[in-house]
């Protein structure tokens, strides 16, 4: 069964360092999402891609976060510099189409701890 | 703006007992509604979704949910829980405004514990 892959699964870093997360969506899925999930809360959308284009990054803290999906397949989310408040689970999801109701398939996430 | 409220942070149910998890939404029109489950350290899995039609929706793993427009609710139910149902459950509403037609807004979740 096809799955969304994410790496690393766990990342510990010190504040002011740079971190990067990688996501490989299900093959053929044009839409890719990055979510941040703070402990005890629901996921919050950071950025959405349609193929290689960003269609929604309204909640992405652009002073320190960046995301790319250069060839419209896999994607990288970067934080530079990391802050203590960035400690969270970072989830990647993909769907076939960017239409309401199209199921989003989630990866296992990357748990980030900033010391 | 769309929003989702899950009033119960943590619920404990005995194995074999029935379950109901509450969800209230705020949305101006007919909403798209979802229930997701998250096992510890894992990503989210879709249990069921409602778009239109029959207000009682059947999902995977024996779960169902009922859409009640008059109460702005979409509660999740299961007649008999199993120990493997222990997880975090998220209700979500589809957001149709803005550039992201498929954006989902999640509630804060309800953690379900199962008593042996």
């Amino acid at each position: 069964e096809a799955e969304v892959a994410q790496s690393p699964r766990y990342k510990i870093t010190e504040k002011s360092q740079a971190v990067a997360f990688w996501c490989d969506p299900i093959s053929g899925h044009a839409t890719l999402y990055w979510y941040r999930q703070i402990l005890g809360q629901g996921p919050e959308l950071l950025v959405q891609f349609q193929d290689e284009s960003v269609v929604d990054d309204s909640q992405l803290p652009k002073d320190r976060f960046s995301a790319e999906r250069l060839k419209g397949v896999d994607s990288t989310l970067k934080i530079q510099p990391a802050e203590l408040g960035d400690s969270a689970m970072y989830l990647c999801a993909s769907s076939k189409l960017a239409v309401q109701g199209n199921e989003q398939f989630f990866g296992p996430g990357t748990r980030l701890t900033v010391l | 703006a769309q929003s989702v409220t899950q009033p119960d942070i943590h619920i404990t149910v005995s194995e074999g007992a029935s379950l109901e998890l509450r969800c209230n939404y705020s949305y101006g029109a007919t909403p798209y509604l979802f229930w997701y489950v998250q096992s510890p350290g894992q990503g989210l899995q879709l249990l069921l979704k409602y778009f239109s039609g029959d207000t009682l929706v059947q999902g995977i793993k024996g779960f169902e949910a009922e859409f009640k427009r008059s109460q702005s609710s979409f509660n999740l139910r299961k007649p008999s829980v199993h120990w493997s149902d222990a997880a975090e459950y998220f209700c979500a509403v589809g957001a149709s405004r803005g550039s992201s037609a498929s954006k989902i807004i999640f509630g804060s979740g309800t953690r379900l514990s199962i008593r042996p």
Side-chain angles (χ1 to χ4, degrees):
Chain A
E1 183 176 298
E3 295 181 342
V4 176
Q6 289 189 248
S7 67
R9 291 293 307 274
Y10 303 92
K11 179 69 178 179
I12 299 174
T13 190
E14 294 185 345
K15 63 180 181 178
S16 80
Q17 297 297 304
V19 292
F21 313 131
W22 178 79
C23 172
D24 191 14
I26 293 173
S27 178
H29 282 196
T31 310
L32 185 147
Y33 312 80
W34 281 103
Y35 289 87
R36 176 171 60 186
Q37 184 180 19
I38 296 171
L39 192 63
Q41 299 182 21
E44 177 190 31
L45 181 69
L46 291 175
V47 61
Q48 177 183 341
F49 288 92
Q50 180 64 31
D51 299 309
E52 67 277 5
S53 300
V54 173
V55 295
D56 187 347
D57 62 357
S58 57
Q59 300 302 311
L60 188 71
K62 298 180 187 63
D63 57 335
R64 297 185 300 108
F65 286 64
S66 63
E68 60 183 18
R69 192 184 184 197
L70 294 178
K71 296 183 179 179
V73 181
D74 59 336
S75 174
T76 302
L77 178 70
K78 297 178 181 178
I79 308 175
Q80 183 174 18
E83 296 181 352
L84 296 178
D86 296 331
S87 293
M89 175 80 90
Y90 291 83
L91 295 165
C92 179
S94 70
S95 65
K96 252 186 178 179
L97 301 171
V99 294
Q100 200 47 266
N102 213 244
E103 181 176 352
Q104 295 185 23
F105 294 84
F106 285 79
T110 295
R111 181 165 295 284
L112 172 67
T113 301
V114 182
L115 303 176
Chain B
Q2 298 92 334
S3 66
V4 178
T5 301
Q6 294 181 249
D8 303 306
I9 296 174
H10 184 203
I11 285 181
T12 299
V13 178
S14 296
E15 190 168 16
S18 63
L19 169 71
E20 182 167 24
L21 301 182
R22 296 184 292 165
C23 172
N24 293 98
Y25 67 89
S26 173
Y27 190 73
T30 301
Y32 298 92
L33 295 162
F34 309 83
W35 274 100
Y36 281 84
V37 61
Q38 185 178 32
S39 298
Q42 300 298 314
L44 280 73
Q45 181 183 22
L46 181 68
L47 286 175
L48 47 80
K49 60 185 178 184
Y50 170 80
F51 295 155
S52 63
D54 194 346
T55 56
L56 186 62
V57 181
Q58 301 297 321
I60 62 172
K61 305 185 180 186
F63 285 93
E64 66 177 26
E66 186 171 11
F67 170 63
K68 293 185 177 180
R69 183 189 301 277
S70 61
Q71 299 177 20
S72 297
S73 70
F74 189 56
N75 294 349
L76 182 71
R77 300 195 295 248
K78 187 170 184 178
S80 176
V81 299
H82 186 261
W83 65 266
S84 61
D85 293 325
E88 189 91 18
Y89 291 80
F90 292 94
C91 183
V93 62
S96 62
R97 299 180 187 177
S99 60
S100 176
S102 59
K103 182 175 181 177
I104 294 176
I105 296 172
F106 288 88
S108 55
T110 296
R111 183 160 62 95
L112 175 65
S113 297
I114 306 298
R115 190 185 302 117

